[in-house]
């Protein structure tokens, strides 16, 4: 038997049910003893709790003295009607023993039907919990069909919750007078699951690289990702890439008014192609702002997802895509010879480029091949001489940290005020000038060097690494101070002739994001650079040793230098790079990169 507690609504002079308090009467040894079970929400009233306790203590007396109510009449009915009394509440009563409550940050399910008996240590029976909390962020969709309410959500799986799957709750509303309230409640739930700056039912063009993820990208998409997007009511159009550069062609011809998002089930190569395909269009600027790019991590390097989604799990990334916030992204214009391309991630000459492109034979190692490649080359004291010209904003590490702190505070302030909504981001650009790409302030590699550049020759350069994102691989947040749209490029310079002990110590600091604090590391915020790399001449007595190092590092047979742009190889020739603020758009979890920023030494 259950007693439902009621409290008086002074404004309406009526008794109102408190669905979060119940009294269960459990028969023990032919006597009825009250067992008070309650669940507290933001609407729990202390007078109601006191009333429940008094009711429990006198329950036996009530059973003896109470006379039966007239048939068909409930003395506790609200004269104004149950639907009217619940119009403005966040509680939906679905049957006698179940309620759904919109809490502060979760949907609270209170259901006596969840209680079931199980054995404790195989001896004593115990009761499972009757409540369940589902974070609003995990809710994919909710709907009502007649009197059937269904809520789909992403349920964590595994011991550490490193993946998720689609699950749901389903209830039938037994009180038919609650139909309109139920519809309003479902809309309230969706409003909390999808804040104003998050679009519901995104229209997504999915590009699947069947060769990504060691050949498992298609399986990852079908089993782990597609069900989540479908449960969130996303409109999906899937296309598989079949050759290198295919995504460039798809993006160049894409109907940008038919989609909100392009999702790449791949490594970082496909996003690079999509950005460059959008940049080739006559309406390039509008296309780059209209289409938000995101990554379903299916490759060896999944930097975009790590930075924007905070995970390299395909299923968790799918959830973040569903809930993703449109975020402006700086892009980097690269000119080499008469060619022009766009970079969203990094530009590397030296150890990182050699590790990224020169370890293809070690792909069986997975993401560990990057760590191994860096270790072998740093311990071998490999150098990559070059002439470097840079337009530097600051190379003071304290100033770099301060720039990051101020930008992060401004972003949080804008987020708390909800200064923009999804609809505002989608306003199309009408004029022809607004659709064309902006001109480059510092020219191209073919132009004379701009006077703002400062040129130095570095014969013992070990690593020249410029980045626009923080994470380059799961355990490598190289650019701790990187921001998506601060109008600056982060640059790391490391000498190639540092001691092996220093090299090992430096390598260990990368995972913690404290590389910026290492004395031998030059960390700068820059606007543009030009680099003229050259091959280092091997000393006569060290040629055999150099060849062994190449073999050990996965680059046996390599005869020329390597340059990596977003992990893609370009010719070993001079090139120039310039940051172009807020030209691209991505989906991110919180409107920033998922790293805590540079730490003080």
């Amino acid at each position: 038997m259950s007693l439902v507690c009621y409290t008086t609504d002074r404004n309406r002079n009526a008794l109102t049910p408190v669905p979060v308090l119940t009294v269960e009467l459990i028969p023990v040894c032919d006597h009825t003893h009250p067992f008070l079970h309650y669940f507290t929400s933001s609407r729990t009233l202390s007078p109601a709790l006191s009333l429940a306790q008094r009711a429990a203590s006198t329950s036996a007396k009530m059973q003896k003295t109470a006379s039966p109510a007239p048939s068909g009449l409930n003395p506790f009915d609200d004269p104004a009607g149950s639907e009217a009394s619940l119009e403005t509440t966040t509680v939906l009563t679905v049957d006698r023993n179940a309620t759904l409550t919109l809490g502060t940050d979760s949907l609270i399910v209170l259901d006596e039907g969840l209680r079931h008996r199980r054995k404790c240590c195989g001896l004593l029976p115990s009761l499972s919990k009757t409540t369940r909390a589902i974070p609003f962020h995990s809710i994919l969709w909710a709907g009502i069909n007649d009197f059937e309410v269904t809520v789909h959500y992403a349920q964590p799986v595994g011991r550490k919750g490193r993946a998720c799957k689609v699950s749901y709750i389903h209830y039938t509303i037994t009180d038919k007078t609650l139909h309109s309230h139920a519809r309003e409640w479902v809309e309230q739930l969706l409003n909390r699951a999808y804040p104003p700056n998050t679009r519901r039912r995104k229209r997504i063009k999915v590009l699947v690289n069947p060769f990504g993820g060691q050949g498992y990208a298609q399986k990852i998409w079908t089993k782990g990702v597609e069900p989540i997007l479908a449960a969130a009511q996303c409109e999906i159009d899937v296309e598989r890439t079949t050759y290198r550069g295919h995504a460039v062609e798809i993006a160049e011809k894409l109907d940008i008014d038919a989609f909100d998002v392009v999702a790449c089930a791949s490594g970082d190569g496909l996003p690079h192609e999509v950005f460059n395909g959008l940049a080739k269009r006559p309406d390039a600027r509008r296309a780059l702002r209209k289409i938000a790019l995101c990554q379903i991590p299916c490759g060896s390097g999944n930097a975009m997802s790590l930075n924007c989604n905070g995970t390299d799990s395909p299923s968790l990334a799918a959830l973040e895509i569903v809930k993703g916030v449109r975020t402006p992204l700086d892009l980097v214009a690269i000119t080499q010879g008469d060619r022009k391309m766009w970079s969203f991630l990094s530009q590397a000459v030296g150890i990182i480029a050699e590790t990224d492109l020169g370890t293809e034979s070690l792909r069986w190692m997975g993401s560990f091949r990057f760590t191994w490649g860096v270790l072998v080359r740093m311990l071998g004291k490999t150098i990559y001489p070059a002439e470097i010209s840079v337009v530097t904003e600051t190379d003071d590490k304290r100033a770099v940290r301060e720039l990051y702190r101020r930008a992060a505070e401004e972003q949080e302030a804008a987020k708390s005020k909800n200064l923009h909504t999804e609809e505002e981001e989608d306003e199309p650009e009408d004029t022809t000038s607004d659709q064309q790409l902006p001109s480059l302030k510092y020219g191209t590699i073919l132009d004379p060097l701009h006077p703002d550049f400062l040129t130095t020759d570095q014969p013992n350069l070990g690593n020249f690494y410029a980045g626009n994102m923080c994470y380059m691989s799961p355990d490598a947040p190289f650019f701790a101070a990187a921001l998506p749209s601060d109008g600056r490029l982060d640059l790391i310079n490391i000498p190639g002739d540092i001691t092996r002990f220093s090299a090992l110590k430096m390598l260990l600091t990368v995972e913690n994001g404290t590389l910026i604090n290492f004395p031998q590391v030059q960390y700068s915020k820059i606007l543009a650079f030009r680099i003229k790399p050259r091959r280092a001449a091997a000393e006569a007595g060290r040629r055999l040793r150099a060849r062994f190092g190449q073999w050990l590092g996965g680059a046996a047979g390599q005869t020329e230098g390597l340059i990596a742009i977003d992990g893609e190889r370009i010719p070993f020739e001079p090139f120039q790079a310039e940051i172009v603020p807020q030209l691209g758009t991505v989906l991110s979890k919180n409107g920033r990169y998922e790293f805590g920023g540079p730490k003080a030494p």
Side-chain angles (χ1 to χ4, degrees), residues 228-374:
I228 294 174
L229 301 186
Q233 304 290 308
C234 293
E235 299 178 25
I236 306 170
D237 181 70
V238 183
E239 189 167 351
R240 289 155 187 82
T241 58
T242 56
Y243 51 87
R244 189 181 186 89
H246 191 186
V248 176
E249 299 174 5
I250 294 173
E252 191 174 359
K253 300 174 183 177
L254 185 69
D255 181 1
I256 61 174
D257 293 319
F259 299 99
D260 310 307
V261 177
V262 171
C264 300
S266 66
D268 295 314
L270 234 55
H272 173 82
E273 290 189 11
V274 172
F275 274 126
N276 280 276
L278 294 175
K280 287 186 174 183
R281 300 167 57 101
D283 58 347
R285 176 176 283 192
R286 177 173 180 260
L288 286 165
R289 289 183 177 177
K290 172 70 172 59
I291 297 297
L293 216 63
C294 60
Q295 181 187 46
I296 300 166
C298 295
S300 298
N302 301 303
M304 175 175 277
S305 182
L306 288 165
N307 286 284
C308 297
N309 302 326
T311 181
D312 59 354
S313 163
S315 57
L316 292 179
L319 172 61
E320 300 308 333
I321 290 170
V322 168
K323 298 304 180 77
V325 178
R326 290 176 60 89
T327 305
L329 179 71
D330 299 338
L331 295 181
V332 182
I334 307 292
T335 57
Q336 187 181 55
D338 58 355
R339 300 180 300 276
K340 183 179 181 180
M341 70 189 74
W342 295 88
S343 168
F344 75 95
L345 179 60
S346 64
Q347 308 85 46
V349 178
I351 288 177
I352 297 299
E354 297 281 334
T355 298
D356 198 1
L357 301 175
T359 58
E360 291 296 313
S361 62
L362 304 179
R363 278 191 173 272
W364 55 271
M365 289 186 175
S367 61
F368 180 71
R369 71 184 176 100
F370 300 111
T371 304
W372 175 255
V374 170

Side-chain angles (χ1 to χ4, degrees), residues 9 52 103 121 194 573:
D9 187 337
C121 302
Y194 292 89
E573 301 171 1

Side-chain angles (χ1 to χ4, degrees), residues 154-180:
Q155 179 182 9
V157 296
R159 291 183 178 180
K160 297 184 179 181
R162 293 182 177 177
C164 64
K165 66 177 182 179
V166 176
S167 188
Y168 70 93
I169 56 174
H170 178 84
Y171 289 98
T172 300
I173 301 174
T174 56
D175 187 349
K176 306 307 180 184
T177 64
L178 294 177
H179 188 266
S180 63

